[in-house]
Amino acid sequence: MMGESHCRELLYRAAATADLILIEGVMGLFDGDSSSADLAQALGVPVAAVIDAQGMAQTFAAVAHGLATYRPELAFAGVIANKVGSAGHAKLLQEPCRPTWRCWRRLPATKPSGCRRAIWVCCKPTKSATFPPAWPAPPSC
């Protein structure tokens, strides 16, 4: 990390001209001396974790739950499931997350090879973090 004060200055400068700021972390959320979680907590920004869901079903909920509860003081907004193969796969991922997690979107995506994939966004509403703040409550996926 470049130092908390420098990171805070960069964030404030970017926030003056942006509607949304995305801070991409490296390695795992909690890995390293100055982890992405440390930076998010220091800056007071919510975290949305991306989980590769290919080859997963119910384990997705366990990984998401672990990330959300590992550090209670971290503003954990939700997870984004990447490499979701179909609507049926999305349902397998979503079912164990209910009722505390709500599915926001299942978006079709095209890989460079032309193979169809989907990205499924699941958000856990909390008092400390909302993600994304401008999205209306969607119908169930």
Side-chain angles (χ1 to χ4, degrees):
M1 186 157 83
M2 301 153 68
E4 183 181 332
S5 61
H6 182 67
C7 289
R8 190 175 302 280
E9 179 185 338
L10 292 174
L11 176 66
Y12 290 156
R13 221 181 303 155
T17 60
D19 293 326
L20 175 71
I21 297 173
L22 177 65
I23 303 169
E24 182 179 4
V26 295
M27 295 178 58
L29 180 59
F30 300 103
D31 295 337
D33 292 333
S34 297
S35 69
S36 298
D38 293 335
L39 179 61
Q41 196 169 337
L43 298 177
V45 296
V47 170
V50 178
I51 300 173
D52 182 342
Q54 186 174 11
M56 278 194 204
Q58 292 80 5
T59 300
F60 176 83
V63 172
H65 176 76
L67 289 171
T69 60
Y70 183 76
R71 188 184 294 178
E73 63 275 9
L74 181 65
F76 192 86
V79 293
I80 300 170
N82 197 13
K83 297 183 182 175
V84 180
S86 66
H89 185 202
K91 186 176 179 181
L92 288 172
L93 299 173
Q94 184 181 5
E95 288 298 320
C97 291
R98 291 186 180 258
T100 58
W101 292 64
R102 181 170 50 164
C103 177
W104 284 89
R105 297 281 191 270
R106 193 178 71 77
L107 307 169
T110 305
K111 291 176 62 176
S113 65
C115 176
R116 299 290 293 173
R117 288 288 186 187
I119 298 172
W120 177 66
V121 178
C122 179
C123 181
K124 178 185 178 193
T126 67
K127 292 180 182 176
S128 61
T130 56
F131 174 80
W135 283 0
S140 183
C141 292

